[in-house]
Amino acid sequence: MHVDPNWLAAFIAAPGVAASLGLLFTGWGLRRSVAWQYRLALIGALINFAVSVPVLLVTQAGNRLVLQMGLYQAPFGITVIADALSGLMLFFTALVAVTTLIYARGTLDDRDRLNFYPLLLLLIMGVNGAFLTGDMFNLYVFFEVLLVGSFALLTLGGQIGQINGGIRYVLLNMLASTFFLAAAGVIYGTAGTLNMAQLAERLPQAPPSVQLLIAGLLMIAFSTKAGLFPLFFWLPASYHTAHPAVTALFGGLLTKLGVYTLFRIYPLLFPELLQEWQGFVFVVAALTMITGIFGAMAVNTMRRVLSFHIISQVGYMIMGLGLAATGNPAMATFGLAAGILYVVHQMLVKTAILMAGGAAELEAGSGSLLRERMMGLRQRAPALAVIFFIAAMSLAGLPPSSGFVSKLWLLQGAIDAGHWAIAAVSLIVSLFTLMSMLRIWQKAFWGYPKAEYQVPSPIATPSRQWLTLAPIAVLLAFSLWIGIFSGPALQWFDTAAAQALDRAGYIQAVSPTNTIEYLGGSYDAK
Amino acid sequence: MPELYLRLLDRVLTPILLVLAAYLFLRGHNEPGGGFIAGLAAASAIQLQILSLGDEPVRRRYARFLHPMAGLGLFIALLSAILGILRGGYFSSLWGKVQLGEVELELGTPLLFDLGVFLIVFSVIVSFLLALSRQDEGKTP
Amino acid sequence: MSGLTAAILVGALFATGAYLILRRDPIKLILGLTMVSYGVNVLLFTSSTLRKGIPPVIADKKTFTGDISQFVDPLPQALVLTAIVISFGIVAFLVVLVSRRNMLVEQYGKAPDAPTAINDPFGATAHYLSGLDADPDDYEWVDDTFREPAQSERS
């Protein structure tokens, strides 16, 4: 199977064009504008999804698709590269994008929908670009693109809680981006290039102190984006304030993008440093898991509990990075593959459970777990209760879901390599996750509805029910598919991890030139 | 509160600023200038109108164009990148010559991209300015 | 600008920015953010060789022999431009957010019956709750992290 690398541009062009045309359709009367924005956005997201399938298949066959922008040779233009890791991420991002769009159509109120869909697609454009780019500064730019989209989505309702959350979110993400930018400056000053393939050649030769500086600055930037301990606090302060569809999208994509960059950058640019940092990575992973889960047990509204769960689950992914930080290639591949599987599992299940939790809040008119407002949702919305239950069990890691397989794989990797402490922590945190899920189940779904708290549900009409629940079911079906047919699915993650760790292959695929040709003459740079 | 002198100044300065914006925009072809700075100059003309007329008339006049304009700008910018595929690669530039009487103009996709940038910057900055200059700000209802 | 001047400048900007960000006043926070991003811009600018009075373009293509001392590296300048544009946009957005927040606070105060239920982000169900008593835990994040400056500070 052959795919022309030029198709990679569709990941940026399709959402971008759909968003821009959607913005053109404003000022036409609210309802009509929104209907057109939705249609255009759906078309854009479906094109994005349609392109992601062949890219996934082709990269899984062991190829890397490389596209040099503007026909400039590698270090001078911007390189766009899709390998198996990017391919997987792009596919599941496209899936999350389509399902979130449909879910948003079901749950958003008409007056709040204006420009929601174009902004969502801008966010997807940024996320896709960040997965694809092979250039440090371009990565920063795409981070900013998606951040601008997410700022606007977060504060779309204009409520004071959203604005308070939005200020924290903007501030801390902007600071993280500043650190990233500083790192980019130091990288350029050290290596004279920003192309990742060329950096993979040059950075390991840099003085250790400079390497440490760059790796540290990048660590601060990416771990803020990923929500790692101790830089996660912007996340639970803002996520639950947004509309349920926005929270689901953020929970499914944004922190995972941070984790993806950690998976991409550290094995590629700092292979030796990463091995030195193994203990540190494990400590961070364990603390992230523990603080996340304790936070989840301390708060009392549905989506805030789920927001803290995002953090605790990021800890598991970083545990995968820690397992990859070893000199033994087989073990490193195994650990990174487990981490990537966990990222994908979280993209599916976290989006699903935040969607289901948001639908439950809308259904009950409240997210309080302390009062009896949400009691008895299993009777008022049985289909939602079933879906939430499956998502919760997948999140807690019960078979036959992707949660079980991914946790099992991580544990196996940790025990094989003899990291007993982190294995124990991850098991205990799993148990607490189950407890926390049962708490939500007991407070929100179990019991009998109280008559005095009955409110008319904004998602009660059959069409809205379908639009709300079907996307969650699709995401959970993928999760169950990974869980049940784990053999072929696990092959994917193995390939992705092997490619992500194969530095020579990455450099060769991009093949940056070290010679500058200019007006017939040429000379060696550095 | 509309200001008399500002209104007079606005009459004079708005066209000048718009011409300046157009000049900066075209100059960006080869020299310092370009879509971003031109967008800022044009937005400053709108800010002058907000100061002299108050924000409500300006909002009534321009607000409904802002989002479509940003969309158009984004579309044009993306289009200029996609058009490069005609020469073999995205973002590679296409150039053509246009004869206007005596003057020969060299036009290409970078100019198109600059136009997109201009539209986006102008509309986004103006919507920020309008959001910041609400008359009811600070008053209790 | 020599390297040492640049280093001192970057340090000073970062220090000022960090100090201002740790204040509780949103305006100082925005100023601090601006300072920090200026600091990073200067840092980016120094990432290539600093040479005085030489343009980042090749002046005359015909006589250019490949001697890179005839021009300065244009890339850091491009990076700085991009970074300036991005931080400008984000700071402008932040200013709009803060001003909107101040407006809402002045209009409604922080009373729990304001249409600001945290679990009810778009006000979609606010009217359903109106007849019921409000749960304090539904509003726990309508807090005073960004408090209004006290009268003494304001003057």
Side-chain angles (χ1 to χ4, degrees):
Chain A
M1 188 170 166
H2 178 74
V3 171
D4 193 299
N6 278 319
W7 280 106
L8 291 183
F11 287 111
I12 294 151
V17 169
S20 62
L21 290 181
L23 280 174
L24 264 175
F25 276 108
T26 49
W28 241 31
L30 185 62
R31 198 169 271 269
R32 209 150 34 132
S33 310
V34 169
W36 272 103
Q37 286 187 342
Y38 173 68
R39 272 168 227 165
L40 281 164
L42 200 59
I43 293 170
L46 284 173
I47 292 175
N48 184 17
F49 184 71
V51 179
S52 76
V53 175
V55 169
L56 174 69
L57 293 177
V58 133
T59 51
Q60 280 299 321
N63 304 307
R64 289 183 174 87
L65 296 173
V66 181
L67 176 62
Q68 311 283 6
M69 284 296 178
L71 300 176
Y72 291 105
Q73 184 71 34
F76 305 114
I78 288 167
T79 306
V80 168
I81 175 167
D83 62 0
L85 176 55
S86 314
L88 271 174
M89 295 292 147
L90 289 169
F91 176 75
F92 286 102
T93 302
L95 185 69
V96 168
V98 175
T99 46
T100 315
L101 268 175
I102 298 171
Y103 175 84
R105 184 74 179 163
T107 49
L108 273 172
D109 204 13
D110 241 356
R111 66 203 147 102
D112 299 323
R113 278 182 193 156
L114 189 66
N115 293 344
F116 174 86
Y117 302 110
L119 285 171
L120 191 148
L121 281 195
L122 275 184
L123 180 85
I124 297 296
M125 178 171 101
V127 173
N128 278 345
F131 283 141
L132 278 170
T133 186
D135 185 277
M136 272 307 210
F137 194 76
N138 200 232
L139 184 62
Y140 165 77
V141 171
F142 275 118
F143 261 122
E144 297 302 312
V145 169
L146 80 91
L147 280 180
V148 168
S150 64
F151 299 159
L153 279 177
L154 192 66
T155 53
L156 200 60
Q159 305 290 315
I160 193 160
Q162 290 177 332
I163 292 175
N164 271 343
I167 292 172
R168 286 163 232 242
Y169 180 89
V170 174
L171 175 73
L172 288 163
N173 276 292
M174 172 89 187
L175 271 182
S177 299
T178 310
F179 275 102
F180 189 4
L181 201 57
V186 179
I187 287 176
Y188 189 71
T190 311
T193 179
L194 287 163
N195 185 290
M196 285 192 208
Q198 207 163 26
L199 286 176
E201 282 177 333
R202 289 183 182 176
L203 268 190
Q205 278 134 42
S209 57
V210 179
Q211 274 193 50
L212 193 67
L213 171 67
I214 296 170
L217 283 172
L218 287 177
M219 193 65 170
I220 293 172
F222 294 149
S223 42
T224 310
K225 309 264 180 194
L228 289 186
F229 181 87
L231 298 166
F232 61 82
F233 34 80
W234 56 272
L235 195 153
S238 58
Y239 270 25
H240 65 286
T241 61
H243 186 272
V246 178
T247 314
L249 188 74
F250 285 11
L253 294 182
L254 297 191
T255 44
K256 280 69 200 173
L257 179 62
V259 176
Y260 161 85
T261 41
L262 287 172
F263 282 5
R264 167 70 71 207
I265 301 291
Y266 282 87
L268 186 66
L269 303 187
F270 309 104
E272 283 112 31
L273 202 64
L274 184 61
Q275 287 176 33
E276 284 173 29
W277 279 11
Q278 191 181 35
F280 166 70
V281 172
F282 278 140
V283 170
V284 168
L287 285 174
T288 311
M289 287 180 206
I290 293 168
T291 44
I293 199 68
F294 283 167
M297 297 174 80
V299 295
N300 295 316
T301 52
M302 171 87 97
R303 273 190 294 152
R304 290 189 61 210
V305 174
L306 296 176
S307 300
F308 271 108
H309 273 293
I310 298 177
I311 296 160
S312 125
Q313 303 291 325
V314 165
Y316 286 91
M317 304 170 198
I318 298 308
M319 181 180 158
L321 182 69
L323 293 178
T326 162
N328 181 339
M331 268 185 185
T333 312
F334 192 89
L336 195 62
I340 297 168
L341 170 59
Y342 212 93
V343 173
V344 167
H345 152 68
Q346 281 294 304
M347 279 168 115
L348 295 169
V349 172
K350 201 81 234 179
T351 316
I353 201 166
L354 281 166
M355 282 177 178
E361 285 190 9
L362 288 175
E363 195 82 51
S366 163
S368 170
L369 296 177
L370 276 186
R371 310 302 154 110
E372 292 165 333
R373 286 258 163 82
M374 301 184 80
M375 285 282 252
L377 268 180
R378 75 190 160 99
Q379 288 192 338
R380 274 147 63 187
L384 178 64
V386 170
I387 280 178
F388 185 89
F389 185 78
I390 298 173
M393 290 308 110
S394 186
L395 191 74
L398 295 189
S401 61
S402 58
F404 173 69
V405 184
S406 50
K407 277 192 176 131
L408 183 72
W409 215 1
L410 274 176
L411 263 183
Q412 198 183 335
I415 291 172
D416 282 353
H419 302 298
W420 292 98
I422 189 78
V425 169
S426 76
L427 271 180
I428 293 166
V429 171
S430 289
L431 201 66
F432 278 115
T433 310
L434 183 63
M435 229 169 95
S436 173
M437 285 297 136
L438 288 178
R439 174 166 161 250
I440 293 183
W441 180 257
Q442 190 199 356
K443 298 284 184 192
F445 290 91
W446 210 240
Y448 294 94
K450 295 264 185 296
E452 69 263 35
Y453 292 135
Q454 291 280 8
V455 291
S457 155
I459 51 171
T461 56
S463 65
R464 287 210 158 200
Q465 280 279 313
W466 271 107
L467 288 172
T468 309
L469 296 182
I472 314 177
V474 169
L475 289 172
L476 289 177
F478 267 88
S479 162
L480 287 176
W481 178 74
I482 292 179
I484 294 169
F485 301 97
S486 38
L490 296 191
Q491 204 69 49
W492 290 7
F493 302 100
D494 248 344
T495 317
Q499 278 204 2
L501 290 170
D502 176 17
R503 303 175 61 238
Y506 188 93
I507 296 168
Q508 209 240 324
V510 180
S511 60
T513 172
N514 279 321
T515 307
I516 298 174
E517 286 184 28
Y518 197 82
L519 291 176
S522 70
Y523 57 92
D524 277 335
K526 289 217 172 179
Chain B
M1 186 67 195
E3 301 286 342
L4 184 62
Y5 290 115
L6 268 175
R7 258 191 205 188
L8 277 173
L9 258 181
D10 170 44
R11 285 259 169 95
V12 181
L13 275 181
T14 301
I16 293 179
L17 278 168
L18 289 178
V19 169
L20 176 71
Y23 170 70
L24 282 171
F25 176 73
L26 291 172
R27 190 180 132 93
H29 187 54
N30 271 336
E31 281 165 286
F36 184 79
I37 200 88
L40 288 183
S44 68
I46 306 293
Q47 172 65 16
L48 201 59
Q49 293 199 2
I50 293 176
L51 285 177
S52 63
L53 303 173
D55 63 321
E56 216 29 69
V58 177
R59 188 169 289 121
R60 237 178 289 129
R61 203 181 292 166
Y62 299 112
R64 69 202 140 117
F65 299 117
L66 293 178
H67 286 163
M69 204 187 255
L72 186 68
L74 186 60
F75 181 72
I76 290 176
L78 282 167
L79 189 72
S80 74
I82 296 169
L83 276 180
I85 199 72
L86 296 176
R87 223 192 76 187
Y90 297 102
F91 284 101
S92 50
S93 47
L94 294 166
W95 293 97
K97 288 194 171 143
V98 179
Q99 200 76 37
L100 280 178
E102 293 294 297
V103 194
E104 193 187 55
L105 285 175
E106 210 178 332
L107 295 177
T109 45
L111 192 71
L112 209 56
F113 183 78
D114 248 7
L115 181 64
V117 171
F118 172 80
L119 289 174
I120 295 176
V121 169
F122 176 73
S123 52
V124 170
I125 300 291
V126 170
S127 55
F128 279 163
L129 290 176
L130 284 175
L132 282 174
S133 57
R134 282 179 186 279
Q135 288 277 305
D136 53 1
E137 191 177 343
K139 283 181 199 158
T140 43
Chain C
M1 189 163 60
S2 77
L4 184 66
T5 326
I8 292 170
L9 190 57
V10 171
L13 282 169
F14 260 94
T16 323
Y19 176 77
L20 284 174
I21 284 173
L22 295 173
R23 307 276 86 197
R24 295 194 79 170
D25 185 1
I27 299 300
K28 285 180 188 154
L29 188 149
I30 292 171
L31 281 177
L33 204 58
T34 323
M35 290 281 180
V36 169
S37 60
Y38 285 164
V40 170
N41 288 343
V42 177
L43 178 70
L44 270 183
F45 199 59
T46 56
S47 65
S48 76
T49 332
L50 292 171
R51 288 204 207 95
K52 218 178 197 172
I54 303 175
V57 287
I58 293 159
D60 189 359
K61 284 181 196 173
K62 290 178 188 82
T63 58
F64 183 67
T65 55
D67 176 16
I68 45 173
S69 65
Q70 283 181 15
F71 68 105
V72 291
D73 190 352
L75 194 73
Q77 310 203 2
L79 303 188
V80 170
L81 267 180
T82 317
I84 287 174
V85 169
I86 289 173
S87 65
F88 167 74
I90 289 176
V91 166
F93 182 73
L94 205 54
V95 171
V96 171
L97 272 191
V98 167
S99 98
R100 178 139 182 83
R101 177 191 166 277
N102 289 347
M103 198 178 88
L104 284 174
V105 168
E106 290 209 11
Q107 274 182 358
Y108 300 112
K110 286 171 191 157
D113 56 343
T116 57
I118 229 70
N119 294 307
D120 190 20
F122 282 53
T125 50
H127 54 288
Y128 302 136
L129 286 170
S130 54
L132 307 167
D133 62 321
D135 294 339
D137 50 300
D138 285 356
Y139 303 98
E140 58 195 312
W141 279 83
V142 186
D143 59 23
D144 58 350
T145 303
F146 299 110
R147 77 188 157 88
E148 296 307 294
Q151 281 302 329
S152 56
E153 283 177 55
R154 198 175 286 188
S155 55

